[in-house]
Amino acid sequence: MKLVEATADDLEALADRWYDLAEAMAEHSELNELDVGTTAETAEDGFRSHLDHEDVTDYLVIRDGETIGFVTLREGRHPSRQYSQYLRIVNLAIDDDCRNRGHGAAVLERVKELARERGCDHLKVSCEWQNEGARRFYRDAGFQPKQVDYAQPLE
């Protein structure tokens, strides 16, 4: 398994996989409901904007020459903290037919290597509170709960 930095040629593959991930997240909160009329175009635009940002990088997850998922990483800093330089896993998705085979864990190991190469001292990730599978995955990988995000729709 390897991570290959995505290019403009990969936007459709990224958007398709993001849509599958976003659709799965909709079951965990009404705030994740997709606007079906704009989703595909908006997703590609979002990934296109990542190409111009130094702090955001999308990678395709490649196994035996085939794309089986993607990961989006964002670098950041907390200048006043002892652990100040972080790499955030924004998205991590492995195709349904390739799950539960260690690919997600392998991606995390590669992300740790990338973080160290970039001078980061910790990783961050968020997941839906109701997504027990994701919470278990990250706990099993050694992540510790740190804070809770709250959201409220404004109507």
Side-chain angles (χ1 to χ4, degrees):
M1 189 285 314
K2 63 181 178 176
L3 299 183
V4 175
E5 189 169 339
T7 68
D9 293 336
D10 302 313
L11 294 176
E12 186 177 342
L14 289 167
D16 288 347
R17 284 180 169 84
W18 175 88
Y19 181 81
D20 291 343
L21 176 64
E23 202 171 44
M25 292 304 99
E27 73 183 59
H28 299 294
S29 170
E30 68 182 31
L31 293 172
N32 292 335
E33 187 175 331
L34 296 172
D35 180 356
V36 180
T38 63
T39 302
E41 182 178 301
T42 304
E44 279 195 36
D45 288 343
F47 284 109
R48 186 175 291 108
S49 74
H50 293 174
L51 296 172
D52 297 328
H53 286 276
E54 291 181 20
D55 61 336
V56 179
T57 310
D58 295 297
Y59 294 91
L60 299 174
V61 179
I62 308 291
R63 181 197 67 191
D64 298 331
E66 301 269 338
T67 300
I68 63 164
F70 80 100
V71 62
T72 303
L73 304 175
R74 178 185 308 261
E75 288 185 60
R77 279 186 58 75
H78 294 296
S80 62
R81 301 224 171 106
Q82 184 173 352
Y83 288 94
S84 62
Q85 190 71 23
Y86 64 87
L87 190 60
R88 174 177 288 283
I89 300 167
V90 178
N91 296 306
L92 170 55
I94 301 296
D95 295 350
D96 284 340
D97 59 340
C98 295
R99 289 188 182 164
N100 299 312
R101 297 183 188 171
H103 302 304
V107 169
L108 288 181
E109 288 305 313
R110 181 64 185 117
V111 168
K112 288 178 191 178
E113 291 173 16
L114 289 170
R116 288 182 186 107
E117 290 168 8
R118 296 176 184 190
C120 296
D121 51 30
H122 68 290
L123 293 177
K124 289 182 161 194
V125 66
S126 299
C127 63
E128 294 296 325
W129 185 257
Q130 299 298 328
N131 188 344
E132 182 54 39
R135 291 172 56 203
R136 183 177 44 254
F137 172 75
Y138 290 114
R139 272 193 318 266
D140 290 351
F143 284 79
Q144 303 169 14
K146 183 180 172 292
Q147 69 186 65
V148 176
D149 287 339
Y150 290 89
Q152 181 182 56
L154 301 174
E155 302 192 33

